[in-house]
Amino acid sequence: MASLGFTQIRTTNPMSELALNRSRMRLTRRNRVGFRVVAAGEGQAEPDLSVTVNGLHMPNPFVIGSGPPGTNYTVMKRAFDEGWGAVIAKTVSLDAAKVINVTPRYARLRADSNGSAKGQIIGWENIELISDRPLETMLREFKQLKEEYPDRILIASIMEEYNKAAWEELIDRVEQTGVDAFEINFSCPHGMPERRMGAAVGQDCALLEEVCGWINAKATIPVWAKMTPNITDISQPARVALKSGCEGIAAINTIMSVMGIDLKTLRPEPCVEGYSTPGGYSSKAVHPIALGKVLNIAKMMKAEFNDADYSLSGIGGVETGGDAAEFILLGANTVQVCTGVMMHGYGLVKKLCAELKDFMKLHNFSSIEDFRGASLPYFTTHTDLVRRQREAIEQRKAVKKGLQSDKDWTGDGFVKETESMVSN
């Protein structure tokens, strides 16, 4: 992650200055793996989107987020074929029989008025549960995918009740399929909280620490803890997860919400037999909230942990390469997309890669690491903002052109003083 400090902040455009400095460095240092040093006048090398996270190599930082886009062999294979950097399967548990979904289970928020079917989709709610497919079926498909795509990254999302033996059994059985890592679902905002599953664990740091201890004592592959945003300070459970042995943090899962009320029928959405229940909110409208949560986690990780040893996966409203760049600028190693795939299809990854490369070319970045975390130093406290603005105003006054009053004219400097007030 970038090691810039607050004392390095300039009044010029920070990104342009950062790109210029790194461009100068590239002309004098040795070649790095993944890009070619070019002399002035040569064609610009194509940016390298590949990332290595917790020892896992991905062709790009775009990861299918756990949910419907990773629900079975067919769709996960499609994701690999389209070029996604990694796939996180839909969350599995030991007993799928207790998972019973309803339909409809999605509702959309549009930019136009209540009930509009034409406006741009800016929000998406789901009341969907974890995988309702038998664990044996999912395990067989994990194994098949790893046999067919041995060089691609497949991550299993897992969730269990508050039961050490159950967690250990699930980890053992899933690991045997050859998956590359685990993402632990400590964040699902709805469905079976009474069983101490999902966000019920992620919102209780004492419970989280205990469960993470069970998981990390058993797992032999990297473990990411997926955080819930439905908490006051998201950095607290993230810190607990890392201290308890997790190699990475993923954030955020969906935000607890009520999508809306149909003003004609007076019934809530999504409407199931006239009724509904609060669900998880995603899509474009949550992006700023996700950025804020990721910022808090990244600052904590930078201050308290070695960035090289841990990873951060950003999630929330990613539909463009620019959306992804924002997460990376805040310190994310990878960026997950779930609702975006549900809206735009698996081919979205090509657009994301092209747009992220365009951003990198604009700033002369050759690799993801060139700009990961580069915007972190430009966040500070409100008190510091007041101080900085006061100093900037005083500086501008000091260099203001022209004389402030007729009494300031002098005989010796008359010509220069005149010139100081000429506009052309």
Side-chain angles (χ1 to χ4, degrees), residues 324-348:
E326 290 179 294
F327 276 119
I328 298 170
L329 286 165
L330 291 181
N333 303 81
T334 59
V335 180
Q336 296 186 31
V337 186
C338 182
T339 307
V341 178
M342 297 169 71
M343 295 170 60
H344 305 294
Y346 291 89
L348 175 65

PDB file of all heavy atoms in Angstrom, residues 324-348:
ATOM      1  N   ALA A 324     -14.315   0.480  -9.492  1.00  0.00           N
ATOM      2  CA  ALA A 324     -13.289  -0.417  -8.968  1.00  0.00           C
ATOM      3  C   ALA A 324     -12.036   0.350  -8.576  1.00  0.00           C
ATOM      4  O   ALA A 324     -11.423   0.081  -7.532  1.00  0.00           O
ATOM      5  CB  ALA A 324     -12.958  -1.487 -10.008  1.00  0.00           C
ATOM      6  N   ALA A 325     -11.636   1.301  -9.417  1.00  0.00           N
ATOM      7  CA  ALA A 325     -10.437   2.096  -9.129  1.00  0.00           C
ATOM      8  C   ALA A 325     -10.552   2.801  -7.790  1.00  0.00           C
ATOM      9  O   ALA A 325      -9.563   2.913  -7.050  1.00  0.00           O
ATOM     10  CB  ALA A 325     -10.207   3.104 -10.253  1.00  0.00           C
ATOM     11  N   GLU A 326     -11.752   3.265  -7.452  1.00  0.00           N
ATOM     12  CA  GLU A 326     -11.938   3.950  -6.168  1.00  0.00           C
ATOM     13  C   GLU A 326     -11.633   3.020  -5.000  1.00  0.00           C
ATOM     14  O   GLU A 326     -10.990   3.416  -4.022  1.00  0.00           O
ATOM     15  CB  GLU A 326     -13.364   4.485  -6.072  1.00  0.00           C
ATOM     16  CG  GLU A 326     -13.644   5.642  -7.003  1.00  0.00           C
ATOM     17  CD  GLU A 326     -15.070   6.132  -6.896  1.00  0.00           C
ATOM     18  OE1 GLU A 326     -16.003   5.392  -7.257  1.00  0.00           O
ATOM     19  OE2 GLU A 326     -15.254   7.271  -6.421  1.00  0.00           O
ATOM     20  N   PHE A 327     -12.112   1.780  -5.067  1.00  0.00           N
ATOM     21  CA  PHE A 327     -11.817   0.824  -3.996  1.00  0.00           C
ATOM     22  C   PHE A 327     -10.318   0.563  -3.898  1.00  0.00           C
ATOM     23  O   PHE A 327      -9.749   0.498  -2.802  1.00  0.00           O
ATOM     24  CB  PHE A 327     -12.549  -0.493  -4.237  1.00  0.00           C
ATOM     25  CG  PHE A 327     -13.978  -0.510  -3.752  1.00  0.00           C
ATOM     26  CD1 PHE A 327     -15.019  -0.720  -4.638  1.00  0.00           C
ATOM     27  CD2 PHE A 327     -14.276  -0.319  -2.411  1.00  0.00           C
ATOM     28  CE1 PHE A 327     -16.341  -0.748  -4.197  1.00  0.00           C
ATOM     29  CE2 PHE A 327     -15.589  -0.344  -1.950  1.00  0.00           C
ATOM     30  CZ  PHE A 327     -16.628  -0.563  -2.848  1.00  0.00           C
ATOM     31  N   ILE A 328      -9.651   0.407  -5.049  1.00  0.00           N
ATOM     32  CA  ILE A 328      -8.222   0.129  -5.044  1.00  0.00           C
ATOM     33  C   ILE A 328      -7.442   1.323  -4.513  1.00  0.00           C
ATOM     34  O   ILE A 328      -6.476   1.174  -3.752  1.00  0.00           O
ATOM     35  CB  ILE A 328      -7.754  -0.268  -6.450  1.00  0.00           C
ATOM     36  CG1 ILE A 328      -8.470  -1.547  -6.904  1.00  0.00           C
ATOM     37  CG2 ILE A 328      -6.239  -0.481  -6.481  1.00  0.00           C
ATOM     38  CD1 ILE A 328      -8.271  -1.892  -8.373  1.00  0.00           C
ATOM     39  N   LEU A 329      -7.847   2.519  -4.877  1.00  0.00           N
ATOM     40  CA  LEU A 329      -7.196   3.729  -4.367  1.00  0.00           C
ATOM     41  C   LEU A 329      -7.308   3.841  -2.854  1.00  0.00           C
ATOM     42  O   LEU A 329      -6.487   4.494  -2.199  1.00  0.00           O
ATOM     43  CB  LEU A 329      -7.800   4.975  -5.032  1.00  0.00           C
ATOM     44  CG  LEU A 329      -7.383   5.212  -6.482  1.00  0.00           C
ATOM     45  CD1 LEU A 329      -8.309   6.223  -7.153  1.00  0.00           C
ATOM     46  CD2 LEU A 329      -5.930   5.693  -6.555  1.00  0.00           C
ATOM     47  N   LEU A 330      -8.318   3.198  -2.282  1.00  0.00           N
ATOM     48  CA  LEU A 330      -8.477   3.194  -0.826  1.00  0.00           C
ATOM     49  C   LEU A 330      -7.776   2.006  -0.172  1.00  0.00           C
ATOM     50  O   LEU A 330      -7.834   1.852   1.053  1.00  0.00           O
ATOM     51  CB  LEU A 330      -9.969   3.182  -0.455  1.00  0.00           C
ATOM     52  CG  LEU A 330     -10.746   4.457  -0.772  1.00  0.00           C
ATOM     53  CD1 LEU A 330     -12.198   4.327  -0.333  1.00  0.00           C
ATOM     54  CD2 LEU A 330     -10.104   5.668  -0.100  1.00  0.00           C
ATOM     55  N   GLY A 331      -7.124   1.155  -0.971  1.00  0.00           N
ATOM     56  CA  GLY A 331      -6.339   0.080  -0.387  1.00  0.00           C
ATOM     57  C   GLY A 331      -6.790  -1.325  -0.707  1.00  0.00           C
ATOM     58  O   GLY A 331      -6.159  -2.286  -0.277  1.00  0.00           O
ATOM     59  N   ALA A 332      -7.888  -1.499  -1.458  1.00  0.00           N
ATOM     60  CA  ALA A 332      -8.373  -2.840  -1.782  1.00  0.00           C
ATOM     61  C   ALA A 332      -7.427  -3.535  -2.761  1.00  0.00           C
ATOM     62  O   ALA A 332      -6.929  -2.916  -3.695  1.00  0.00           O
ATOM     63  CB  ALA A 332      -9.779  -2.775  -2.369  1.00  0.00           C
ATOM     64  N   ASN A 333      -7.201  -4.818  -2.536  1.00  0.00           N
ATOM     65  CA  ASN A 333      -6.407  -5.631  -3.466  1.00  0.00           C
ATOM     66  C   ASN A 333      -7.268  -6.172  -4.601  1.00  0.00           C
ATOM     67  O   ASN A 333      -6.802  -6.319  -5.736  1.00  0.00           O
ATOM     68  CB  ASN A 333      -5.786  -6.825  -2.739  1.00  0.00           C
ATOM     69  CG  ASN A 333      -4.935  -6.424  -1.563  1.00  0.00           C
ATOM     70  OD1 ASN A 333      -5.455  -6.154  -0.484  1.00  0.00           O
ATOM     71  ND2 ASN A 333      -3.628  -6.391  -1.745  1.00  0.00           N
ATOM     72  N   THR A 334      -8.511  -6.511  -4.271  1.00  0.00           N
ATOM     73  CA  THR A 334      -9.456  -7.042  -5.253  1.00  0.00           C
ATOM     74  C   THR A 334     -10.786  -6.331  -5.090  1.00  0.00           C
ATOM     75  O   THR A 334     -11.032  -5.657  -4.087  1.00  0.00           O
ATOM     76  CB  THR A 334      -9.673  -8.561  -5.060  1.00  0.00           C
ATOM     77  OG1 THR A 334     -10.183  -8.800  -3.738  1.00  0.00           O
ATOM     78  CG2 THR A 334      -8.373  -9.328  -5.264  1.00  0.00           C
ATOM     79  N   VAL A 335     -11.648  -6.486  -6.092  1.00  0.00           N
ATOM     80  CA  VAL A 335     -12.966  -5.847  -6.082  1.00  0.00           C
ATOM     81  C   VAL A 335     -14.001  -6.895  -6.473  1.00  0.00           C
ATOM     82  O   VAL A 335     -13.870  -7.542  -7.507  1.00  0.00           O
ATOM     83  CB  VAL A 335     -13.016  -4.658  -7.065  1.00  0.00           C
ATOM     84  CG1 VAL A 335     -14.398  -4.014  -7.048  1.00  0.00           C
ATOM     85  CG2 VAL A 335     -11.936  -3.632  -6.722  1.00  0.00           C
ATOM     86  N   GLN A 336     -15.032  -7.047  -5.656  1.00  0.00           N
ATOM     87  CA  GLN A 336     -16.059  -8.048  -5.921  1.00  0.00           C
ATOM     88  C   GLN A 336     -17.291  -7.421  -6.578  1.00  0.00           C
ATOM     89  O   GLN A 336     -17.647  -6.268  -6.291  1.00  0.00           O
ATOM     90  CB  GLN A 336     -16.467  -8.751  -4.633  1.00  0.00           C
ATOM     91  CG  GLN A 336     -15.341  -9.545  -3.997  1.00  0.00           C
ATOM     92  CD  GLN A 336     -15.794 -10.356  -2.802  1.00  0.00           C
ATOM     93  OE1 GLN A 336     -16.945 -10.810  -2.728  1.00  0.00           O
ATOM     94  NE2 GLN A 336     -14.887 -10.566  -1.848  1.00  0.00           N
ATOM     95  N   VAL A 337     -17.918  -8.216  -7.443  1.00  0.00           N
ATOM     96  CA  VAL A 337     -19.124  -7.775  -8.141  1.00  0.00           C
ATOM     97  C   VAL A 337     -20.154  -8.895  -8.062  1.00  0.00           C
ATOM     98  O   VAL A 337     -19.858 -10.033  -8.412  1.00  0.00           O
ATOM     99  CB  VAL A 337     -18.836  -7.446  -9.620  1.00  0.00           C
ATOM    100  CG1 VAL A 337     -20.082  -6.846 -10.278  1.00  0.00           C
ATOM    101  CG2 VAL A 337     -17.642  -6.507  -9.754  1.00  0.00           C
ATOM    102  N   CYS A 338     -21.350  -8.565  -7.600  1.00  0.00           N
ATOM    103  CA  CYS A 338     -22.430  -9.552  -7.540  1.00  0.00           C
ATOM    104  C   CYS A 338     -23.680  -9.008  -8.227  1.00  0.00           C
ATOM    105  O   CYS A 338     -24.067  -9.475  -9.288  1.00  0.00           O
ATOM    106  CB  CYS A 338     -22.733  -9.941  -6.093  1.00  0.00           C
ATOM    107  SG  CYS A 338     -24.017 -11.206  -5.924  1.00  0.00           S
ATOM    108  N   THR A 339     -24.288  -7.980  -7.651  1.00  0.00           N
ATOM    109  CA  THR A 339     -25.491  -7.404  -8.246  1.00  0.00           C
ATOM    110  C   THR A 339     -25.226  -6.903  -9.661  1.00  0.00           C
ATOM    111  O   THR A 339     -26.074  -7.028 -10.547  1.00  0.00           O
ATOM    112  CB  THR A 339     -26.032  -6.256  -7.376  1.00  0.00           C
ATOM    113  OG1 THR A 339     -26.206  -6.718  -6.036  1.00  0.00           O
ATOM    114  CG2 THR A 339     -27.369  -5.759  -7.901  1.00  0.00           C
ATOM    115  N   GLY A 340     -24.036  -6.360  -9.901  1.00  0.00           N
ATOM    116  CA  GLY A 340     -23.692  -5.875 -11.235  1.00  0.00           C
ATOM    117  C   GLY A 340     -23.775  -6.969 -12.278  1.00  0.00           C
ATOM    118  O   GLY A 340     -24.206  -6.735 -13.413  1.00  0.00           O
ATOM    119  N   VAL A 341     -23.373  -8.190 -11.902  1.00  0.00           N
ATOM    120  CA  VAL A 341     -23.465  -9.317 -12.830  1.00  0.00           C
ATOM    121  C   VAL A 341     -24.925  -9.697 -13.055  1.00  0.00           C
ATOM    122  O   VAL A 341     -25.331 -10.039 -14.171  1.00  0.00           O
ATOM    123  CB  VAL A 341     -22.675 -10.526 -12.284  1.00  0.00           C
ATOM    124  CG1 VAL A 341     -22.809 -11.726 -13.215  1.00  0.00           C
ATOM    125  CG2 VAL A 341     -21.208 -10.151 -12.106  1.00  0.00           C
ATOM    126  N   MET A 342     -25.732  -9.625 -12.010  1.00  0.00           N
ATOM    127  CA  MET A 342     -27.146  -9.954 -12.125  1.00  0.00           C
ATOM    128  C   MET A 342     -27.857  -8.974 -13.060  1.00  0.00           C
ATOM    129  O   MET A 342     -28.833  -9.331 -13.729  1.00  0.00           O
ATOM    130  CB  MET A 342     -27.797  -9.948 -10.741  1.00  0.00           C
ATOM    131  CG  MET A 342     -27.219 -11.006  -9.798  1.00  0.00           C
ATOM    132  SD  MET A 342     -27.751 -10.805  -8.082  1.00  0.00           S
ATOM    133  CE  MET A 342     -29.480 -11.281  -8.211  1.00  0.00           C
ATOM    134  N   MET A 343     -27.369  -7.749 -13.129  1.00  0.00           N
ATOM    135  CA  MET A 343     -27.990  -6.725 -13.965  1.00  0.00           C
ATOM    136  C   MET A 343     -27.421  -6.685 -15.382  1.00  0.00           C
ATOM    137  O   MET A 343     -28.144  -6.414 -16.339  1.00  0.00           O
ATOM    138  CB  MET A 343     -27.819  -5.355 -13.302  1.00  0.00           C
ATOM    139  CG  MET A 343     -28.558  -5.206 -11.981  1.00  0.00           C
ATOM    140  SD  MET A 343     -28.088  -3.689 -11.099  1.00  0.00           S
ATOM    141  CE  MET A 343     -28.542  -2.442 -12.285  1.00  0.00           C
ATOM    142  N   HIS A 344     -26.102  -6.961 -15.520  1.00  0.00           N
ATOM    143  CA  HIS A 344     -25.434  -6.738 -16.806  1.00  0.00           C
ATOM    144  C   HIS A 344     -24.840  -7.997 -17.424  1.00  0.00           C
ATOM    145  O   HIS A 344     -24.387  -7.946 -18.571  1.00  0.00           O
ATOM    146  CB  HIS A 344     -24.332  -5.691 -16.637  1.00  0.00           C
ATOM    147  CG  HIS A 344     -24.800  -4.399 -16.055  1.00  0.00           C
ATOM    148  ND1 HIS A 344     -25.672  -3.561 -16.714  1.00  0.00           N
ATOM    149  CD2 HIS A 344     -24.536  -3.801 -14.861  1.00  0.00           C
ATOM    150  CE1 HIS A 344     -25.906  -2.491 -15.959  1.00  0.00           C
ATOM    151  NE2 HIS A 344     -25.242  -2.619 -14.834  1.00  0.00           N
ATOM    152  N   GLY A 345     -24.787  -9.105 -16.689  1.00  0.00           N
ATOM    153  CA  GLY A 345     -24.261 -10.344 -17.244  1.00  0.00           C
ATOM    154  C   GLY A 345     -22.777 -10.535 -16.984  1.00  0.00           C
ATOM    155  O   GLY A 345     -22.066  -9.614 -16.563  1.00  0.00           O
ATOM    156  N   TYR A 346     -22.290 -11.753 -17.275  1.00  0.00           N
ATOM    157  CA  TYR A 346     -20.899 -12.106 -16.991  1.00  0.00           C
ATOM    158  C   TYR A 346     -19.915 -11.380 -17.890  1.00  0.00           C
ATOM    159  O   TYR A 346     -18.752 -11.204 -17.529  1.00  0.00           O
ATOM    160  CB  TYR A 346     -20.712 -13.628 -17.117  1.00  0.00           C
ATOM    161  CG  TYR A 346     -21.419 -14.384 -16.025  1.00  0.00           C
ATOM    162  CD1 TYR A 346     -22.743 -14.793 -16.174  1.00  0.00           C
ATOM    163  CD2 TYR A 346     -20.787 -14.674 -14.826  1.00  0.00           C
ATOM    164  CE1 TYR A 346     -23.409 -15.469 -15.165  1.00  0.00           C
ATOM    165  CE2 TYR A 346     -21.437 -15.352 -13.812  1.00  0.00           C
ATOM    166  CZ  TYR A 346     -22.751 -15.752 -13.979  1.00  0.00           C
ATOM    167  OH  TYR A 346     -23.409 -16.404 -12.969  1.00  0.00           O
ATOM    168  N   GLY A 347     -20.369 -10.938 -19.065  1.00  0.00           N
ATOM    169  CA  GLY A 347     -19.491 -10.204 -19.971  1.00  0.00           C
ATOM    170  C   GLY A 347     -19.076  -8.846 -19.429  1.00  0.00           C
ATOM    171  O   GLY A 347     -18.182  -8.196 -19.995  1.00  0.00           O
ATOM    172  N   LEU A 348     -19.669  -8.414 -18.325  1.00  0.00           N
ATOM    173  CA  LEU A 348     -19.328  -7.127 -17.712  1.00  0.00           C
ATOM    174  C   LEU A 348     -17.838  -7.033 -17.407  1.00  0.00           C
ATOM    175  O   LEU A 348     -17.261  -5.942 -17.425  1.00  0.00           O
ATOM    176  CB  LEU A 348     -20.140  -6.944 -16.423  1.00  0.00           C
ATOM    177  CG  LEU A 348     -19.843  -5.702 -15.572  1.00  0.00           C
ATOM    178  CD1 LEU A 348     -20.214  -4.425 -16.336  1.00  0.00           C
ATOM    179  CD2 LEU A 348     -20.602  -5.758 -14.242  1.00  0.00           C
TER     180      LEU A 348
END
